[in-house]
Amino acid sequence: IKEMDMPNLVEIIKKVSMSAFNESKPTSILYGTVESESPLRIRVDQKLTLTETFLVLSNLVKDYEANITVDGITQKCVIHNSLKKNETVILIRYQGGQKYLVLDRM
């Protein structure tokens, strides 16, 4: 390889490396809007709407049961955190891009 060709070779290697990295769909943070509550659908952009199959919900965005103690008495209660239509949410795409964690609402 001639010295004159080295910068081109370095650029080609950089491009190939970045392409491979982007194809692996690394973890990223996205924002979406709740389109429907039941079944749950979140629109990320014009081309991507996520359904329940692809979503993992944190306790910050779903109803769940918890034990609480008041005046020494422990009781089970329901925390109502489910998402509502038109709410904006923060999503984290798992590496590989098949699942999305709905972390919280904005």
Side-chain angles (χ1 to χ4, degrees), residues 37-100:
E37 296 172 33
S38 184
L40 182 59
R41 284 193 337 236
I42 297 175
R43 177 169 296 283
V44 176
D45 59 33
Q46 288 181 345
K47 296 179 183 178
L48 180 61
T49 299
L50 302 171
T51 60
E52 291 177 352
T53 305
F54 301 99
L55 300 171
V56 176
L57 305 177
S58 75
N59 282 349
L60 296 172
V61 296
K62 68 179 181 180
D63 294 346
Y64 66 95
E65 289 186 354
N67 291 322
I68 62 168
T69 303
V70 178
D71 295 328
I73 300 170
T74 300
Q75 294 181 327
K76 191 174 283 193
C77 70
V78 176
I79 309 298
H80 298 280
N81 274 344
S82 64
L83 293 169
K84 304 294 182 234
K85 187 174 181 173
N86 296 322
E87 285 187 308
T88 301
V89 294
I90 304 166
L91 303 113
I92 298 177
R93 183 180 67 198
Y94 287 78
Q95 188 166 0
Q98 293 300 312
K99 290 280 187 180
Y100 296 77

Side-chain angles (χ1 to χ4, degrees), residues 5 17 21-22 25 29 41 43 53 87 89 101 106:
D5 293 336
S17 297
F21 177 76
N22 289 333
K25 295 186 179 179
I29 296 175
R41 284 193 337 236
R43 177 169 296 283
T53 305
E87 285 187 308
V89 294
L101 170 64
M106 295 284 292

Side-chain angles (χ1 to χ4, degrees), residues 8-27:
N8 288 336
L9 181 59
V10 170
E11 288 303 312
I12 290 170
I13 291 171
K14 282 182 186 177
K15 287 179 183 177
V16 168
S17 297
M18 285 306 297
S19 177
F21 177 76
N22 289 333
E23 288 296 317
S24 73
K25 295 186 179 179
T27 300

